Amino acid sequence: MPSQIVNGTELYYEEHGAGEETIVFSHGLLMSGSMFDAQVAALSRHYRCITYDHRGQARSAIAKSGYDMDTLTDDAAALIEALGAAPCHFVGLSMGGFIGMRLAIRHPHLLRSLVLMETSADPEVNVKPYRKLAFIGRWFGFRAVVTPLMGIMFGRTFLNDPEQEEARSRWRRHLLNLNRRGTVRAAYGVIDRDGVYEQLESIRVPTLVMVGDEDLATVPAKAERIHAAVKGSTLVVIPGAGHSSSIEKPVLVTAALEDFFS
């Protein structure tokens, strides 16, 4: 299990493939780098692909502090530099997108391009319900909230498709096995984050904005707002996908990434 100590904490990461260019994948809250397995399998034929787990989540260490978006951005920047990945294509989904925007604003020299998936440049709007879910998960376990969490993380097409039963079961088990302490700390970092919308005009790296048309956590209007603010950006809407489009519609997401990188 490879790991790298950066910015005072130990981050788990995986590396696949080789190539002149590197893609770094940054996952969403409650998930892990594994949510990009399909994309890595396809893109690692031509690119060096790196996935990692954020502090306190999945296989990375549970830090005592530092779950705010600024510290997570510093984590990502330090990991990119430690692994010799700069300048990289940075793919951030949801929370990973919060980090990606901050990287492009503050550390543009580390990026070759930016992909923002299922994310928002604004402060969190669902503060009360998300705080309630975090509280229940911390003190009563995630089994008590796994059904509403699945409804947030995935779109109706994925949740109702009989052919996706195996994938649904896999990610339901993942949610049930979340570490309470680390996950809730990470959740509050997302819930209490500041917006960066007013700073988006400073992003100059090529940017792809992607969103599922069934995303309820960061609705398509959020993606359209980012697209309008980042000069020269491209917007792609993934039909039939919710908040975890890389899992729900892997073929469409991978195709969009391949087109953008090429």
Side-chain angles (χ1 to χ4, degrees), residues 103-174:
L103 281 174
I105 292 166
R106 302 169 190 174
H107 307 284
H109 65 286
L110 297 179
L111 303 186
R112 187 182 299 272
S113 74
L114 175 65
V115 180
L116 302 172
M117 302 173 61
E118 322 298 342
T119 195
S120 170
D122 302 306
E124 184 55 58
V125 296
N126 299 305
V127 172
K128 288 185 178 179
Y130 286 178
R131 279 188 171 276
K132 181 178 180 180
L133 288 172
F135 177 85
I136 295 172
R138 175 66 179 93
W139 297 107
F140 299 96
F142 288 100
R143 184 171 296 276
V145 293
V146 68
T147 298
L149 287 179
M150 288 289 289
I152 293 169
M153 302 306 297
F154 300 101
R156 62 182 182 275
T157 297
F158 178 84
L159 292 174
N160 295 319
D161 185 353
E163 295 185 1
Q164 297 284 11
E165 178 58 35
E166 183 177 347
R168 284 196 300 272
S169 296
R170 174 192 175 187
W171 288 102
R172 183 182 179 90
R173 289 193 302 271
H174 171 85

